[in-house]
């Protein structure tokens, strides 16, 4: 599917500087600098222009010998310095045979400049220098505003690389020493301490721990790792030190492969034309054809060349209204500011515009629809104990452990306001749980494996049903007898249900991608009423799943927060990052939800639709008055003494610009429910 990606053709980026990897910030700074210099030069240009002097009745005060040459010199500086990006853009668009906004701007300023220069040096007519200068000012301002609202995703690869630690603890014959990760070779052994990132892909050869690789693989729960288990570079070691034998280095590693996928996906983005570009193309063809026709007809009718030329130039200049140059940027600026107030950061404008057409939203599960942390979902009592007693004893024991399951049980007890005492003689049961004395009783919280190992049979339909949902179930033993079971799972966000309901109400299908098991995915899908879900999806397959949904003929948004989501975020028609996620997911996305609230996905669609309506309205205001102005400028009503002069044309432009500005500001009245 040739779906649109990060546009490079719109008003703000069609000039050559937008291509070839030029620094985005440098381009913004360049437009800013050219705008302020041109604006400073425009003030004396206005004061020296005969038409402005006449309107202000300051001819006597401001006129002096040689003023027309000073006006010519100042206007030349604005034309060649301020107008340079548009002149470059003209050649770039003609080279690709896609004339658009740059062609229209360059055409208008060039006709105004060369005609006005000819008037200074003897040709009969009026100078358009003040229109030339103000047109360049407005267009530079429009580009500056627009480019500031569009941030490139070029930082994604850098953020990915930064996930890897720079040094590793190499276990060498002469002792342990810190070395750069880049120096590691296959077969080297490295020590990874608790809380540290694993430096590269390898296999555990000593020690046992849990590894948090949620940001890399999307698995919601830390994974137990012991002798012989594979570990991924960039994942975070849990509670114990481990020794890892290096198996992959450099470009072979999992993270490097993800980097390559993001790079390829970014390069494969297709282009789409901007609304303003299409309007500009129509106006360009209109200006050229009507301008040339005007000159020819007046000459055929026997008018002087100077009169015919003046009519042609007036048509050409009026055909590039100031309002059209601001029609899109003003709406973009207002919608970007409005979005930012609601915690929606728009990184790519064209993708934001496409959001109005979305037909499906695919959510990553862990950390997006869910909180990305273990929490208690069910408590099953056995042997006549009360539920609060089961929770109290389990929390007392687990209060001494740093394991994620333990943290979930303790947090649940605190949320239920169930108090507990610290245990005595706490001991970990490696790979199986923990035990301690609580109020003089021997209490254990153990895995199903411990029960099997010790021949303890707990057959209960309730527990079997919980396990079938993919939940993690641990058992509370009191004096070696089962007293209860606690089921834990990745907690579903309270806001997720509302978010999905709002999207469905807008006619959008909601789906889920996860690296978790089919059982876990099925449970979440049923709980939330999803239209579809994809389970056990390996990181490298996420972008493929997005393509598969697109192959159904749907325009798709991807919402995620992890490194493993980055290729899918780039592949989707619109990539949306949950702000609490990794920097790389944010850098790969078109839109960032700062508040990490899935309801904001619906807010994005609402704002996109409202923004598009304003853009269409503004384009009509910005270009629509040409339907009246261009024929009058050409002189169709000359026989009845009605000819549109440059001054009246300027007044019409001003009115159109004001209307466009007011209409853009009205976008602020949009209420984003969240």
């Amino acid at each position: 599917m040739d779906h649109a990606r990060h546009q490079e053709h719109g008003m703000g980026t069609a000039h050559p500087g937008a291509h070839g990897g030029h620094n985005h910030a440098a381009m913004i700074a360049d437009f800013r600098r050219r705008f302020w210099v041109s604006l400073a030069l425009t003030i004396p240009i206005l004061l020296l222009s005969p038409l402005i002097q006449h309107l202000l009745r300051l001819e006597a005060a401001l006129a002096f010998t040689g003023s027309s040459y000073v006006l010519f010199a100042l206007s030349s500086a604005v034309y060649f310095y301020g107008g340079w990006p548009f002149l470059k853009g003209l050649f770039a668009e003609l080279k690709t045979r896609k004339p658009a906004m740059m062609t229209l701007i360059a055409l208008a300023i060039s006709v105004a400049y060369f005609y006005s220069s000819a008037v200074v040096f003897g040709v009969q007519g009026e100078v358009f220098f003040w229109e030339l200068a103000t047109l360049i000012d407005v267009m530079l301002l429009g580009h500056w505003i627009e480019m500031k609202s569009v941030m490139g995703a070029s930082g994604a690869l850098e953020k990915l690389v930064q996930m890897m630690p720079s040094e590793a603890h190499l276990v060498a014959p002469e002792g342990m020493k810190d070395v750069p990760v880049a120096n590691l070779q296959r077969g080297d052994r490295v020590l990874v301490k608790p809380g540290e990132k694993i430096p590269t892909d390898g296999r555990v050869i000593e020690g046992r721990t849990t590894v948090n690789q949620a940001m890399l693989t999307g698995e919601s729960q830390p994974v137990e790792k012991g002798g012989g288990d594979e570990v991924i570079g960039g994942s975070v070691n849990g509670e114990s030190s481990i020794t890892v034998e290096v198996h992959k280095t450099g470009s072979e590693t999992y993270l490097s492969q993800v980097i390559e996928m993001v790079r390829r996906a970014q390069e494969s983005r297709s282009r789409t034309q901007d609304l303003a570009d299409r309007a500009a193309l129509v106006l360009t063809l209109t200006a050229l054809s009507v301008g040339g026709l005007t000159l020819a007809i007046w000459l055929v009718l026997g008018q002087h060349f100077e009169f015919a030329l003046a009519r042609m130039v007036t048509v050409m200049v009026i055909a590039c209204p100031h309002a059209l140059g601001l029609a899109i940027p003003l709406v973009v600026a207002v919608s970007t500011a409005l979005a930012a107030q609601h915690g929606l950061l728009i990184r790519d404008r064209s993708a934001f515009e496409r959001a109005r057409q979305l037909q499906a939203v695919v959510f990553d599960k862990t950390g997006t629809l869910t909180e990305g942390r273990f929490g208690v979902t069910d408590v099953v009592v056995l042997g006549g104990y009360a539920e609060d007693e089961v929770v109290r004893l389990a929390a007392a024991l687990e209060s001494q452990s740093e394991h994620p399951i333990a943290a979930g049980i303790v947090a649940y007890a605190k949320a239920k306001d169930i108090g507990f005492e610290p245990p005595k003689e706490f001991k970990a049961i490696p790979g199986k749980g923990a035990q301690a004395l609580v109020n003089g009783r021997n209490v254990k919280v153990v895995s199903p494996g411990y029960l099997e190992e010790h021949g303890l049979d707990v057959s209960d339909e309730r527990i079997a049903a919980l396990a079938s949902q993919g939940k993690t179930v641990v058992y509370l033993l009191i004096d070696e007898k089962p007293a209860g079971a606690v089921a834990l799972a990745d907690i579903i966000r309270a806001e997720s249900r509302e978010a999905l309901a709002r999207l469905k109400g807008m006619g959008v299908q909601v789906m889920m991608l996860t690296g978790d098991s089919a059982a876990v995915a099925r449970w979440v899908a049923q709980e939330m009423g999803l239209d579809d879900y994809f389970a056990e999806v390996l990181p490298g397959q996420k972008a493929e799943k997005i393509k598969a949904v697109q192959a159904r003929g749907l325009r798709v948004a991807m919402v995620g927060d992890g490194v493993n989501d980055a290729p899918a975020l780039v592949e989707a028609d619109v990539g949306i990052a949950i702000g609490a996620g990794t920097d790389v997911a944010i850098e790969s996305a078109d839109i960032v939800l700062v508040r990490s609230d899935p309801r904001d996905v619906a807010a994005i669609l609402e704002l996109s639709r409202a923004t598009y309506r304003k853009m269409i309205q503004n384009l009509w205001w910005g270009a629509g008055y040409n339907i009246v102005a261009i024929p009058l400028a050409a002189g169709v009503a000359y026989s009845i003494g009605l000819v549109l002069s440059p001054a009246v044309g300027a007044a019409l432009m001003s009115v159109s610009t004001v209307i466009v500005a007011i209409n853009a500001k009205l976008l602020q009245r949009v209420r984003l429910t969240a």
Side-chain angles (χ1 to χ4, degrees), residues 68 71 164 262 273 387 405 461 470 591 621 650 664:
S68 62
L71 180 60
M164 295 300 290
V262 173
Q273 276 208 315
E387 183 176 317
I405 289 177
E461 290 182 0
I591 300 164
W621 279 113

Side-chain angles (χ1 to χ4, degrees), residues 164-171 177-191 198-201 244-250 252:
M164 295 300 290
S166 57
E167 289 192 335
H169 310 305
L170 179 65
V171 179
K177 59 180 179 180
D178 289 349
V179 299
V181 171
N183 292 357
L184 292 176
Q185 297 180 355
R186 188 175 300 200
D188 283 346
R189 296 186 174 191
V190 294
L191 178 71
I198 295 170
T200 189
D201 294 8
V244 174
E245 184 177 79
V246 176
H247 278 192
K248 295 179 181 177
T249 59
E252 302 174 324

Side-chain angles (χ1 to χ4, degrees), residues 59 75 211 220 227-228 255 263 300 356 388 423 435 468 471 517 522 573 583 602 638 641:
E59 295 100 321
S75 301
V211 174
S220 55
L255 195 55
R263 187 189 65 77
V300 168
R356 70 186 173 84
D388 282 5
Q435 64 180 8
S468 70
K471 296 179 180 179
S517 67
R522 191 182 310 111
D573 295 283
D583 287 343
Y638 179 69

Side-chain angles (χ1 to χ4, degrees), residues 44-62:
I45 288 173
L46 289 171
L47 295 176
L48 292 173
S49 295
L51 179 62
I52 303 299
Q53 290 178 356
H54 175 71
L55 290 173
L56 298 178
R57 298 181 180 178
L58 294 174
E59 295 100 321
L62 297 177

